[in-house]
Amino acid sequence: MKINARQLEQVNNRITALLNADSFYGKKLREAGITEVNSAEEFEQLPFSEKNDLREAYPLGLMTAPEEEIVRIHSSSGTTGLPVIIPYTAKDVDDWGEMFKRCYEFAGLTNKDRVQITPGYGLWTAGIGFQNGAEKLGSMVIPMGPGNTEKQLKMMMDMKSTVICATSSYALLLAEEIQKRGIKDQICLKKGIIGSERWGEKMRARISSELGIELYDIYGLTEIYGPGIGINCKGQNYMHYWDDYLYLEIIDPVTLKPVPDGEWGEIVITTLVKEGAPLIRYRTHDLSRIVTEKCPCCDNRFPMIDIIKGRTDDMMKIKGVNVFPAQIEEVLKSFNELSSEYQIRISHLDGKDTMRIYVETSGEYDFEELGKRVAAEVKSRIGFTPIVKVVEVGLLPRSEKKTQRVIDERFG
Ligand code: ZN
């Protein structure tokens, strides 16, 4: 999906603001001699921005609006080194709230809902983002913040909360606690808005069935406003994102070139109207793809990406095709004959990278024939033919801890 004329104009406004402020990225643009872009091709020549660079701007190097217009900062926690500080103008806070409100509307929330918010408040963008959007919608916010399950459940019952906002792990904990206490009939929840973690189908199904609620995934990252820049469609794995605020590209994380619509790659985001800290071509390292199918829920008013399938660090290149474990897992899941266990081995044979996939089945199937069908399915859905070895159920290693499913034998 190429950048359109309106979006290009918005990018040029951001470039001008960055140059005028001479902020961290303003300096980078000036050094690169960039003053404007006049076509999609020129846009695709713009340098990327990266989280590691953002740290260099600590504390306020990203600030691109005059200080008197900055009303708030947020920070993304770095596991190592300096955090990233993102300044927001009043308009940025408002825009973010509008985007989040739209997410809630897509999930079917109204001003009659009572929204219990359990993500944390503070420097990060979690709790306050969920709250802004819900208040804009006119819902009743119950700003709990994290933890204190006893109090959460009491408020959930007494306030008759209809919506729970949580991480997937906390939603699961609450679901289990509700079941354990046998208080499900006193819970009025209808929907869950789940943010910030990647989570599997099994976990989703468990939360959804134990609480009897519909679940929605919120997408977002602190560097780009925070959660609320996209949400999945009802009953679908696809997420809408708001292209009036953001321009999304999917690039090949190895060649750094945009991939055709529909192909998997890394999400790169450009903020179109952000004032406090505009970002151009920010590399998220999240893997997804542009979905080209029509969306039944909203006449395609907003474009869609697939749900996030992992990080670029998980990616492998086999026979010229970028592939990551979640794609293989998805193919394997479509075979009822297979157990849930699998192992992927990458090796370098006869000058080529090769993938072997070990899968398990019971004795009632023809192993060789099943292996051929799995290989053909990988070929048709991902684009290369792996070597598939089918073994008896129980032969693949299992461990208490997270089982290592991908073994790269190419190095060492
Ligand atoms: Zn939709």
Side-chain angles (χ1 to χ4, degrees):
M1 204 174 300
K2 293 277 180 197
I3 191 161
N4 64 38
R6 164 109 184 101
Q7 291 169 326
L8 266 182
E9 191 188 319
Q10 290 172 315
V11 168
N12 280 326
N13 289 338
R14 293 306 87 210
I15 290 175
T16 305
L18 285 161
L19 288 169
N20 287 344
D22 205 29
S23 56
F24 181 76
Y25 276 107
K27 286 194 182 76
K28 293 216 169 202
L29 290 170
R30 183 159 48 77
E31 281 158 20
I34 294 160
T35 52
E36 62 175 351
V37 284
N38 294 304
S39 64
E41 291 66 38
E42 278 183 39
F43 174 82
E44 285 167 12
Q45 302 296 317
L46 287 173
F48 294 103
S49 41
E50 284 265 16
K51 185 154 184 168
N52 276 335
D53 301 338
L54 266 52
R55 291 202 177 93
E56 282 175 43
Y58 184 89
L60 280 171
L62 295 175
M63 190 164 75
T64 297
E67 164 135 23
E68 55 272 30
E69 289 176 22
I70 301 296
V71 298
R72 188 198 286 176
I73 60 133
H74 281 293
S75 157
S76 68
S77 52
T79 40
T80 53
L82 295 168
V84 172
I85 304 283
I86 306 288
Y88 294 65
T89 64
K91 181 178 182 294
D92 293 338
V93 171
D94 194 59
D95 286 350
W96 179 23
E98 285 297 330
M99 283 189 274
F100 217 129
K101 176 184 167 215
R102 205 184 274 167
C103 288
Y104 285 136
E105 285 168 342
F106 266 71
L109 270 64
T110 70
N111 54 9
K112 294 263 182 61
D113 275 299
R114 299 181 177 186
V115 183
Q116 185 159 338
I117 295 170
T118 71
Y121 285 79
L123 273 175
W124 46 46
T125 48
I128 201 163
F130 281 92
Q131 173 156 349
N132 275 349
E135 287 183 353
K136 268 195 186 293
L137 187 63
S139 309
M140 185 196 293
V141 168
I142 303 149
M144 298 296 295
N148 203 343
T149 302
E150 198 68 40
K151 199 168 173 188
Q152 298 276 4
L153 294 175
K154 180 164 169 43
M155 289 300 269
M156 196 180 285
M157 292 186 286
D158 294 350
M159 299 307 300
K160 299 190 166 38
S161 308
T162 58
V163 176
I164 181 85
C165 300
T167 60
S168 53
S169 42
Y170 197 57
L172 182 62
L173 188 148
L174 286 173
E176 287 172 341
E177 206 53 41
I178 287 166
Q179 200 203 31
K180 209 189 294 171
R181 296 175 187 213
I183 53 172
K184 196 175 164 186
D185 57 340
Q186 297 168 66
I187 300 291
C188 304
L189 292 180
K190 292 196 201 77
K191 282 165 184 162
I193 312 286
I194 308 297
S196 85
E197 296 162 274
R198 281 186 295 282
W199 46 317
E201 272 307 312
K202 272 190 186 147
M203 191 167 182
R204 165 188 284 273
R206 245 179 97 194
I207 300 169
S208 175
S209 75
E210 284 193 10
L211 289 177
I213 59 176
E214 268 174 21
L215 294 175
Y216 292 86
D217 288 293
I218 282 271
Y219 181 55
L221 49 164
T222 301
E223 294 79 13
I224 313 285
Y225 295 99
I229 64 173
I231 190 166
N232 71 300
C233 247
K234 185 173 175 167
Q236 282 196 49
N237 276 337
Y238 304 146
M239 290 195 297
H240 286 287
Y241 66 89
W242 319 131
D243 63 343
D244 41 355
Y245 294 92
L246 307 162
Y247 175 66
L248 259 72
E249 299 168 84
I250 306 289
I251 64 160
D252 180 322
V254 181
T255 66
L256 305 182
K257 298 279 176 236
V259 300
D261 286 352
E263 277 186 24
W264 290 89
E266 177 182 343
I267 303 174
V268 170
I269 304 179
T270 297
T271 65
L272 296 172
V273 293
K274 208 161 184 262
E275 297 177 334
L279 284 176
I280 291 173
R281 307 196 82 202
Y282 181 69
R283 293 188 61 184
T284 65
H285 293 276
D286 287 331
L287 290 169
S288 186
R289 66 188 183 100
I290 300 281
V291 174
T292 50
E293 293 163 39
K294 285 230 179 302
C295 166
C297 89
C298 63
D299 299 329
N300 266 33
R301 189 154 56 103
F302 295 104
M304 295 191 289
I305 52 170
D306 216 311
I307 54 164
I308 312 301
K309 279 288 165 63
R311 301 277 296 165
T312 49
D313 324 320
D314 307 333
M315 195 141 119
M316 308 163 271
K317 200 171 190 95
I318 309 292
K319 300 180 184 171
V321 179
N322 290 332
V323 47
F324 44 95
Q327 278 176 299
I328 301 288
E329 192 174 323
E330 202 171 275
V331 173
L332 299 181
K333 263 198 306 205
S334 66
F335 286 86
N336 290 328
E337 304 93 315
L338 301 176
S339 80
S340 59
E341 298 302 314
Y342 65 91
Q343 197 176 77
I344 297 170
R345 285 177 178 264
I346 316 289
S347 45
H348 197 74
L349 292 173
D350 308 325
K352 287 185 295 194
D353 286 338
T354 310
M355 178 185 287
R356 279 171 295 150
I357 306 173
Y358 292 83
V359 291
E360 292 181 337
T361 192
S362 64
E364 59 186 291
Y365 297 100
D366 178 338
F367 285 16
E368 200 183 321
E369 186 270 342
L370 180 56
K372 277 185 186 155
R373 276 194 289 132
V374 172
E377 192 64 19
V378 171
K379 167 74 178 165
S380 104
R381 294 197 7 202
I382 306 176
F384 73 98
T385 307
I387 299 163
V388 179
K389 306 256 187 210
V390 183
V391 300
E392 194 78 37
V393 168
L395 280 185
L396 291 178
R398 286 157 171 79
S399 73
E400 289 291 306
K401 279 179 253 149
K402 206 165 182 266
T403 313
Q404 190 185 7
R405 297 194 184 274
V406 182
I407 296 163
D408 197 329
E409 298 169 329
R410 285 174 298 183
F411 318 102

Short mmCIF file of all heavy atoms in Angstrom, two decimals, residues 16 48 77 79 134 137-138 167 188 205 222 233 238 245 248 265 302 319 322 340 364 371 377 387:
data_model
loop_
_atom_site.label_atom_id
_atom_site.label_comp_id
_atom_site.label_asym_id
_atom_site.label_seq_id
_atom_site.Cartn_x
_atom_site.Cartn_y
_atom_site.Cartn_z
N THR A 16 9.31 19.28 8.06
CA THR A 16 9.53 20.71 8.32
C THR A 16 9.60 20.99 9.82
O THR A 16 10.49 21.71 10.29
CB THR A 16 8.39 21.55 7.69
OG1 THR A 16 8.31 21.21 6.31
CG2 THR A 16 8.65 23.03 7.84
N PHE A 48 15.46 5.08 8.24
CA PHE A 48 14.61 4.51 9.29
C PHE A 48 14.96 5.14 10.63
O PHE A 48 16.04 5.69 10.82
CB PHE A 48 14.85 3.01 9.40
CG PHE A 48 14.41 2.24 8.19
CD1 PHE A 48 15.33 1.78 7.26
CD2 PHE A 48 13.06 1.99 7.97
CE1 PHE A 48 14.92 1.08 6.14
CE2 PHE A 48 12.64 1.29 6.85
CZ PHE A 48 13.57 0.83 5.93
N SER A 77 10.15 1.46 29.00
CA SER A 77 11.20 0.92 29.85
C SER A 77 12.20 0.19 28.98
O SER A 77 11.82 -0.64 28.15
CB SER A 77 10.60 -0.03 30.86
OG SER A 77 9.81 -0.99 30.18
N THR A 79 15.09 -2.60 28.92
CA THR A 79 15.61 -3.65 29.80
C THR A 79 17.08 -3.36 30.07
O THR A 79 17.62 -3.73 31.10
CB THR A 79 15.46 -5.04 29.15
OG1 THR A 79 15.77 -4.93 27.78
CG2 THR A 79 14.06 -5.56 29.32
N ALA A 134 -11.67 5.56 26.80
CA ALA A 134 -12.96 5.22 27.40
C ALA A 134 -13.71 6.48 27.83
O ALA A 134 -14.93 6.59 27.67
CB ALA A 134 -12.76 4.29 28.59
N LEU A 137 -15.20 8.18 24.89
CA LEU A 137 -16.40 7.47 24.45
C LEU A 137 -17.57 7.78 25.38
O LEU A 137 -18.74 7.64 25.01
CB LEU A 137 -16.10 5.96 24.45
CG LEU A 137 -17.15 5.02 23.87
CD1 LEU A 137 -17.35 5.31 22.39
CD2 LEU A 137 -16.69 3.57 24.05
N GLY A 138 -17.25 8.19 26.59
CA GLY A 138 -18.29 8.48 27.56
C GLY A 138 -18.63 7.30 28.45
O GLY A 138 -19.64 7.30 29.16
N THR A 167 -3.79 -7.22 30.50
CA THR A 167 -2.87 -8.05 29.73
C THR A 167 -3.49 -9.44 29.67
O THR A 167 -4.35 -9.78 30.48
CB THR A 167 -1.49 -8.16 30.43
OG1 THR A 167 -1.70 -8.76 31.72
CG2 THR A 167 -0.84 -6.81 30.61
N CYS A 188 -20.56 -9.31 35.40
CA CYS A 188 -21.36 -8.80 34.27
C CYS A 188 -20.52 -8.54 33.01
O CYS A 188 -20.98 -7.89 32.08
CB CYS A 188 -22.04 -7.50 34.67
SG CYS A 188 -23.05 -7.68 36.15
N ALA A 205 -8.85 -18.80 24.03
CA ALA A 205 -10.06 -19.62 24.14
C ALA A 205 -10.42 -19.84 25.61
O ALA A 205 -11.60 -19.82 25.97
CB ALA A 205 -9.83 -20.96 23.44
N THR A 222 4.75 2.43 22.83
CA THR A 222 4.94 3.73 23.45
C THR A 222 5.53 4.76 22.49
O THR A 222 5.13 5.92 22.50
CB THR A 222 5.87 3.58 24.67
OG1 THR A 222 5.25 2.67 25.56
CG2 THR A 222 6.10 4.91 25.36
N CYS A 233 -10.60 -7.04 14.28
CA CYS A 233 -11.98 -7.06 13.84
C CYS A 233 -12.73 -8.14 14.62
O CYS A 233 -12.16 -9.14 14.96
CB CYS A 233 -12.00 -7.47 12.38
SG CYS A 233 -12.52 -6.21 11.33
N TYR A 238 -7.53 -10.36 12.04
CA TYR A 238 -6.94 -9.18 11.42
C TYR A 238 -7.15 -7.95 12.29
O TYR A 238 -8.13 -7.88 13.03
CB TYR A 238 -7.56 -8.94 10.05
CG TYR A 238 -7.45 -10.11 9.13
CD1 TYR A 238 -8.46 -10.40 8.22
CD2 TYR A 238 -6.33 -10.93 9.16
CE1 TYR A 238 -8.35 -11.48 7.36
CE2 TYR A 238 -6.22 -12.01 8.32
CZ TYR A 238 -7.24 -12.29 7.41
OH TYR A 238 -7.13 -13.35 6.57
N TYR A 245 -3.87 8.71 10.96
CA TYR A 245 -2.85 9.15 11.92
C TYR A 245 -1.47 8.55 11.64
O TYR A 245 -0.45 9.09 12.03
CB TYR A 245 -3.25 8.75 13.35
CG TYR A 245 -4.48 9.45 13.85
CD1 TYR A 245 -5.75 8.88 13.71
CD2 TYR A 245 -4.39 10.69 14.48
CE1 TYR A 245 -6.89 9.52 14.18
CE2 TYR A 245 -5.52 11.34 14.95
CZ TYR A 245 -6.76 10.75 14.79
OH TYR A 245 -7.89 11.39 15.25
N LEU A 248 1.65 2.88 7.63
CA LEU A 248 2.35 1.62 7.91
C LEU A 248 2.96 1.05 6.64
O LEU A 248 2.30 1.00 5.60
CB LEU A 248 1.38 0.58 8.47
CG LEU A 248 1.41 0.37 9.98
CD1 LEU A 248 0.81 1.56 10.68
CD2 LEU A 248 0.70 -0.91 10.35
N GLY A 265 6.45 -9.41 6.84
CA GLY A 265 7.68 -8.66 7.05
C GLY A 265 7.54 -7.82 8.30
O GLY A 265 6.65 -8.04 9.12
N PHE A 302 -10.92 1.31 7.01
CA PHE A 302 -9.54 1.36 7.48
C PHE A 302 -8.79 0.10 7.04
O PHE A 302 -9.35 -0.98 7.05
CB PHE A 302 -9.51 1.47 9.00
CG PHE A 302 -10.09 2.75 9.49
CD1 PHE A 302 -11.35 2.79 10.06
CD2 PHE A 302 -9.38 3.94 9.35
CE1 PHE A 302 -11.89 3.99 10.49
CE2 PHE A 302 -9.92 5.15 9.78
CZ PHE A 302 -11.18 5.17 10.35
N LYS A 319 15.97 -20.83 1.46
CA LYS A 319 15.82 -20.80 -0.01
C LYS A 319 15.25 -19.47 -0.49
O LYS A 319 14.33 -19.42 -1.30
CB LYS A 319 14.93 -21.96 -0.47
CG LYS A 319 15.51 -23.32 -0.10
CD LYS A 319 14.63 -24.46 -0.57
CE LYS A 319 15.22 -25.77 -0.08
NZ LYS A 319 14.35 -26.91 -0.30
N ASN A 322 11.68 -15.55 3.42
CA ASN A 322 11.67 -15.22 4.85
C ASN A 322 10.59 -16.03 5.55
O ASN A 322 9.44 -16.02 5.13
CB ASN A 322 11.38 -13.74 5.06
CG ASN A 322 12.53 -12.87 4.60
OD1 ASN A 322 13.68 -13.30 4.61
ND2 ASN A 322 12.22 -11.65 4.18
N SER A 340 0.54 -31.55 19.10
CA SER A 340 0.91 -30.13 19.19
C SER A 340 2.43 -29.93 19.22
O SER A 340 2.91 -28.82 19.13
CB SER A 340 0.29 -29.51 20.44
OG SER A 340 0.75 -30.20 21.57
N GLU A 364 -1.92 -44.68 13.38
CA GLU A 364 -2.98 -45.00 12.42
C GLU A 364 -2.84 -44.29 11.07
O GLU A 364 -3.65 -44.51 10.18
CB GLU A 364 -4.36 -44.69 13.03
CG GLU A 364 -4.53 -43.26 13.45
CD GLU A 364 -5.85 -43.02 14.18
OE1 GLU A 364 -6.89 -43.11 13.51
OE2 GLU A 364 -5.83 -42.76 15.40
N GLY A 371 3.70 -36.83 5.75
CA GLY A 371 4.85 -35.93 5.61
C GLY A 371 4.81 -35.17 4.30
O GLY A 371 5.07 -33.97 4.24
N GLU A 377 1.82 -28.42 1.87
CA GLU A 377 1.07 -27.31 2.46
C GLU A 377 2.00 -26.14 2.81
O GLU A 377 1.66 -24.98 2.59
CB GLU A 377 0.31 -27.81 3.70
CG GLU A 377 -0.72 -26.86 4.25
CD GLU A 377 -1.89 -26.57 3.31
OE1 GLU A 377 -2.13 -27.36 2.37
OE2 GLU A 377 -2.56 -25.54 3.53
N ILE A 387 11.85 -30.40 4.45
CA ILE A 387 11.89 -31.86 4.61
C ILE A 387 11.06 -32.16 5.86
O ILE A 387 11.35 -31.63 6.94
CB ILE A 387 13.34 -32.35 4.81
CG1 ILE A 387 14.18 -31.98 3.58
CG2 ILE A 387 13.37 -33.84 5.10
CD1 ILE A 387 15.67 -32.04 3.83
#
